[in-house]
């Protein structure tokens, strides 16, 4: 997988050591990721994106679109998996827009994080298969296939799957934050 970390870091005027220190990782890891020699964890990518002040998927290489219509064909989607939370996210929309569309797959017992998180955005989730629980600001709703939920992502929130089967959902986020 190829990342744009070096390009964005240079635009921000940061050294490898400065980015590493602010993200809480080693300079060696940043260097290896920039050279394509290591694949960082999702949490490391989130920390790097936070320091660089870009949505997570902005770190991934994406060809520039010259057309006003962006099409992503099957097989072109970027996928990230985090074994620690049992979630796989697949970006279904091109980067650089004002909305981001992801498909999430969460294993039984999986969760997006152990503690609720917040970020400046809005999210709309539509459950495609299975059952998904969403905790927003201390209130939990359970969604089944075909159900949807919209919320202000500035409120602390997390997703989890208490069922015995995988849950699949589509999430639209504006502005992009993953």
């Amino acid at each position: 997988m190829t990342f744009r970390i070096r390009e964005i870091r240079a635009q921000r005027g940061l050294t490898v050591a400065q980015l590493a220190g602010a993200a809480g990782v080693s300079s060696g890891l940043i260097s290896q990721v920039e050279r394509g020699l290591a694949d960082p964890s999702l949490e490391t990518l989130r920390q790097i994106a936070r320091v660089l002040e870009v949505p997570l998927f902005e770190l991934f290489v994406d060809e520039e679109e010259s057309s006003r219509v962006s099409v992503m064909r099957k097989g072109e989607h970027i996928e990230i998996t985090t074994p620690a939370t049992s979630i796989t996210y697949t970006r279904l929309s091109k980067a650089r827009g004002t909305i981001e569309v992801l498909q999430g797959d969460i294993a039984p017992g999986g969760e997006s994080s152990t503690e609720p998180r917040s970020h400046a955005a809005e999210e709309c989730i539509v459950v495609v298969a299975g059952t998904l629980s969403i905790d927003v600001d201390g209130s939990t709703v359970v969604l089944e296939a075909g159900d949807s939920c919209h919320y202000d992502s500035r409120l602390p929130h997390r997703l989890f799957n208490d069922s015995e089967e995988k849950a699949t959902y589509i999430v639209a986020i504006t502005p992009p934050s993953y």
Side-chain angles (χ1 to χ4, degrees), residues 66-133:
S66 58
S67 171
R68 293 207 256 186
V69 177
S70 295
V71 176
M72 289 188 79
R73 302 284 181 203
K74 184 177 181 177
E76 294 178 339
H77 301 126
I78 295 172
E79 184 177 279
I80 58 172
T81 301
T82 172
T85 62
S86 304
I87 294 182
T88 299
Y89 281 112
T90 305
R91 188 175 69 197
L92 303 177
S93 58
K94 289 284 188 177
R96 305 192 200 288
T98 57
I99 190 168
E100 181 173 49
V101 180
L102 307 170
Q103 175 179 312
D105 291 300
I106 184 168
E111 55 190 6
S112 60
S113 60
T114 56
E115 295 296 321
R117 295 180 171 200
S118 60
H119 51 99
E122 287 181 58
E123 295 184 33
C124 182
I125 293 179
V126 179
V127 177
V128 177
T131 302
L132 181 68
S133 296

